[in-house]
Amino acid sequence: MGLNIVQKIIKTHLVEGDMTPGKPIAIRIDQTLTQDATGTMAYLHFEAMGLPKVQTELSVSYVDHNTLQAGGPENANDHLFLQTAAAKFGVYFSKAGNGICHQVHLERFAVPGKTLLGSDSHTPTAGGIGMLAIGAGGMDVALAMAGEPFYLTMPKVVRVNLYGKLRPFVSAKDIILELLRRLTVKGGLGRVFEYGGEGVKYLTVPERATITNMGAELGATTSIFPSDEQTYLFMKAQGREAQWRPLQADPDATYDEVIDIDLSELEPLIACPHMPDNVKKVKEVEGLRVHQVAIGSCTNSSYRDLKTVGEMFKRTGKMVHPMVSAAISPGSKQVLRMMDKEGYYDVFLRAGFRILENACGPCIGMGFAPPSGGVSVRTFNRNFYGRSGTKDAEVYLASPETAAATAMKGVITDPRDLGLEEIKVFLPEKFEIDDSMIYAPAADPDEVEIWKGPTINYVGYKEPLGDKLEGEVLLKVGDNITTDHIIPGGAKILPLRSNIPAISEYVYSVVDETFAQRAKEKGGGFIVGGENYGQGSSREHAAIGPMYLGIKAVIAKSFARIHHANLINFGILPLVFVNKEDYDKIDQGDILEIDLSNFAPGEDNIITVINRTKGISIPTKHGLNKRQVEIIKAGGVLAYVKQKFEKKNAQ
């Protein structure tokens, strides 16, 4: 029986387990990437392990999130720490201004058939080049840099057959929005989406990367495209054709599920507030007045995307509508240089766009926030409540084509209504390559001293769990709670990422401003959640902050993959209701008791939660394997790994 692409890569990287969906496996990691919002903790974790150098084939540290120097020295302190840590530990360093990690990695480092683990949930972007790229928490990435395998559940593989060709002004963004419309933000849990079919050959690598990037919004483990002639042309234009290798599924490969999409039937789509799966046809919401348009982010900031927008404004001669504030964030310095070389930078300026830094920026609430109650159309991947930096803003997600048409008209507009002829963007034979802001590791790491400013306050693990957990339910929340709910982004909070006591003050502040204070006064306790708890960003601070505040367990109907792993990594017990209706039997303020005397590995290991307030017992399960149970008992993965290293050294 033949293998699909996912199975081929996992088979050559398998360290433990077998490729049976739902079973635990461990795979070898070839490359890692980090960004400054999560990478600071990753390198603090790595330093705490005591290893002199990373063990991967390649690791890259990017600065692209906390680049807005608003206020004090926190961001600058983190950047200097990251640069010196990278130099010492054998890591390449991409300086602030060089670009967004996913765009730069796709351009300069991603390799078909390799594995990539990144401390960012949109790491699957590299799947557009045929790489098995997975997002994870910073601790898991630190472990991969230390040479440890990455543990995960073997996912189901979903074949997405693409037929036909996209019609004019319908783009790759509309393909992934269509999948979100069909499947919802929970539709990819425990799955990898592997794209194939005749329609694939018409999609360039940047277009494929848009789809794999936003596959994270499905809750998928990752998404991947084959490595074919389109992949070769992209890598050749990057001067990296020697690293190209073909990668296709076997003709008789099998899949767990199959989805068919006829590209010729798609039309412009838009995700309405406040969830990426709230998708409608642009025609259904056109005419809505817009205050702001933002074009960029790791989803849609490539050469192809910005040239398309530039051509639309160049051909129409239009300017940005007087009542719209519009901005463009190029994905990398390379993209910006290409726009300048081909004259589109001037087109943007003449049209009235603001040109922002080559960084994540508005996507995570770092500048360019909408006005109060304003409507913002963005080419980004998430429109969670408050993520833009304005709590009551209405954020819509759309393609660059729809965003450009909307910026011209001042209302949500179907780009097909502009009356333009089809715009075809072909990749250049050679990109403007400039790696001057990517620094190689130090030739002599012994001469490098890691710099740590006073705003870096590291906390990596807590005391081991006892045999009994007791405390109050400090918060009860509903379905689809995101990591933005748990730890908000934005210019005020993101700079605190390396200061755990400081950032913990903002845990759940979006939901309940009293949470952190109550948690400290009560000496910690429990959180109860609904379905898909912890979806969204990979930010492990959504686990570290609660850990610091004394949260002992989270009881939910189901968990998002990365957050579930992060909770385990920091010694917080994730429990799932055996009977989902038991969620209604626990209220905020109830006193719970959890007996861990029977805490053992296994899918069916039942942990009884006693609600002392109501005098009832509630069955829960954890489904943890032996390693995960040992991590929880140790108080977190760092304590567990340090014990492992100490035993190894003693032998």
Side-chain angles (χ1 to χ4, degrees), residues 88-278:
K88 190 170 188 68
F89 293 142
V91 176
Y92 282 81
F93 180 75
S94 177
K95 196 174 183 181
N98 191 54
I100 302 171
C101 59
H102 309 303
Q103 177 67 28
V104 177
H105 208 83
L106 194 74
E107 293 170 349
R108 308 306 303 140
F109 297 109
V111 178
K114 297 285 188 178
T115 56
L116 169 67
L117 195 69
S119 64
D120 189 287
S121 55
H122 292 108
T123 299
T125 305
I129 211 169
M131 196 170 199
L132 191 72
I134 301 173
M139 181 65 83
D140 281 323
V141 176
L143 291 169
M145 290 191 291
E148 292 288 299
F150 176 60
Y151 291 84
L152 72 160
T153 299
M154 178 65 192
K156 293 180 178 180
V157 183
V158 181
R159 166 81 170 203
V160 182
N161 286 318
L162 302 180
Y163 299 105
K165 292 179 66 176
L166 293 170
R167 291 182 292 176
F169 299 100
V170 183
S171 71
K173 184 65 161 279
D174 298 308
I175 298 174
I176 188 61
L177 287 175
E178 170 64 11
L179 272 177
L180 280 158
R181 185 191 68 79
R182 294 189 193 184
L183 303 178
T184 80
V185 293
K186 296 182 290 186
L189 294 175
R191 292 165 171 80
V192 172
F193 290 83
E194 180 176 311
Y195 291 82
E198 280 295 303
V200 165
K201 67 183 181 183
Y202 301 114
L203 298 175
T204 63
V205 167
E207 290 172 292
R208 298 174 183 188
T210 289
I211 295 168
T212 56
N213 170 282
M214 208 166 168
E217 275 42 81
L218 291 164
T221 302
T222 190
S223 303
I224 193 167
F225 276 81
S227 176
D228 54 14
E229 186 176 356
Q230 287 280 12
T231 318
Y232 175 77
L233 291 174
F234 178 80
M235 296 187 75
K236 183 180 180 182
Q238 293 288 345
R240 299 199 295 123
E241 63 268 34
Q243 294 178 300
W244 177 79
R245 55 164 290 192
L247 185 61
Q248 300 276 352
D250 291 333
D252 57 343
T254 59
Y255 296 86
D256 298 289
E257 299 168 21
V258 177
I259 297 172
D260 295 329
I261 298 179
D262 187 341
L263 301 182
S264 66
E265 292 182 355
L266 293 182
E267 60 180 275
L269 300 173
I270 192 165
C272 303
H274 294 282
M275 200 60 64
D277 61 2
N278 187 15

Side-chain angles (χ1 to χ4, degrees), residues 550-619:
I551 298 303
K552 302 162 186 174
V554 178
I555 310 165
K557 293 180 181 179
S558 66
F559 289 90
R561 176 186 63 85
I562 299 178
H563 187 64
H564 183 266
N566 286 341
L567 290 173
I568 295 168
N569 281 346
F570 294 97
I572 297 176
L573 179 62
L575 295 174
V576 176
F577 290 104
V578 172
N579 305 304
K580 292 185 178 182
E581 57 269 23
D582 285 343
Y583 168 87
D584 297 321
K585 296 179 181 178
I586 302 178
D587 293 312
Q588 188 166 313
D590 287 354
I591 303 300
L592 306 183
E593 179 182 307
I594 302 176
D595 185 359
L596 292 179
S597 58
N598 192 38
F599 185 31
E603 289 289 329
D604 301 319
N605 184 242
I606 301 297
I607 301 294
T608 300
V609 175
I610 301 172
N611 188 331
R612 296 210 311 238
T613 302
K614 292 183 170 62
I616 56 175
S617 296
I618 299 170

Side-chain angles (χ1 to χ4, degrees), residues 406-515:
T406 299
M408 292 179 193
K409 296 291 188 179
V411 296
I412 292 178
T413 302
D414 188 322
R416 298 173 299 180
D417 292 343
L418 296 178
L420 288 171
E421 292 185 3
E422 181 178 5
I423 294 173
K424 294 182 179 180
V425 174
F426 299 97
L427 297 185
E429 290 188 8
K430 188 171 183 60
F431 284 97
E432 286 287 306
I433 298 169
D434 179 0
D435 293 334
S436 61
M437 293 177 73
I438 299 175
Y439 301 100
D444 187 354
D446 291 337
E447 294 184 356
V448 179
E449 181 179 353
I450 296 178
W451 193 93
K452 287 183 190 173
T455 56
I456 296 177
N457 193 338
Y458 179 65
V459 179
Y461 55 92
K462 65 184 186 67
E463 293 299 312
L465 288 182
D467 290 333
K468 185 179 290 186
L469 305 180
E470 297 178 275
E472 182 179 317
V473 177
L474 297 170
L475 191 67
K476 183 179 181 180
V477 292
D479 296 344
N480 296 322
I481 286 296
T482 73
T483 48
D484 282 73
H485 286 111
I486 305 171
I487 282 286
K492 179 180 179 181
I493 300 171
L494 278 174
L496 304 176
R497 290 293 185 92
S498 56
N499 188 338
I500 301 307
I503 202 169
S504 69
E505 296 291 331
Y506 296 94
V507 172
Y508 267 119
S509 59
V510 171
V511 176
D512 181 351
E513 292 183 350
T514 70
F515 177 82

Side-chain angles (χ1 to χ4, degrees), residues 295-486:
I295 297 171
S297 87
C298 57
T299 314
N300 285 117
S301 60
S302 68
Y303 167 87
R304 179 265 167 208
D305 293 326
L306 298 197
K307 183 170 181 176
T308 299
V309 173
E311 273 296 304
M312 290 176 70
F313 275 88
K314 183 178 179 180
R315 294 186 189 186
T316 61
K318 298 278 189 183
M319 291 189 65
V320 171
H321 190 277
M323 296 305 295
V324 171
S325 177
I328 286 178
S329 306
S332 67
K333 186 173 67 170
Q334 180 181 105
V335 171
L336 182 60
R337 289 193 62 177
M338 292 299 295
M339 292 301 99
D340 181 49
K341 177 183 178 182
E342 298 185 9
Y344 293 105
Y345 190 90
D346 187 60
V347 171
F348 297 144
L349 291 181
R350 288 179 182 274
F353 278 97
R354 294 170 58 184
I355 310 296
L356 306 184
E357 192 172 17
N358 310 326
C360 299
C363 184
I364 47 166
M366 296 294 275
F368 204 63
S372 297
V375 174
S376 178
V377 172
R378 300 177 162 211
T379 66
F380 302 170
N381 42 44
R382 290 180 178 151
N383 58 346
F384 301 148
Y385 176 77
R387 181 179 172 90
S388 67
T390 304
K391 278 191 177 182
D392 60 352
E394 301 283 310
V395 176
Y396 293 76
L397 306 176
S399 68
E401 290 88 340
T402 297
T406 299
M408 292 179 193
K409 296 291 188 179
V411 296
I412 292 178
T413 302
D414 188 322
R416 298 173 299 180
D417 292 343
L418 296 178
L420 288 171
E421 292 185 3
E422 181 178 5
I423 294 173
K424 294 182 179 180
V425 174
F426 299 97
L427 297 185
E429 290 188 8
K430 188 171 183 60
F431 284 97
E432 286 287 306
I433 298 169
D434 179 0
D435 293 334
S436 61
M437 293 177 73
I438 299 175
Y439 301 100
D444 187 354
D446 291 337
E447 294 184 356
V448 179
E449 181 179 353
I450 296 178
W451 193 93
K452 287 183 190 173
T455 56
I456 296 177
N457 193 338
Y458 179 65
V459 179
Y461 55 92
K462 65 184 186 67
E463 293 299 312
L465 288 182
D467 290 333
K468 185 179 290 186
L469 305 180
E470 297 178 275
E472 182 179 317
V473 177
L474 297 170
L475 191 67
K476 183 179 181 180
V477 292
D479 296 344
N480 296 322
I481 286 296
T482 73
T483 48
D484 282 73
H485 286 111
I486 305 171

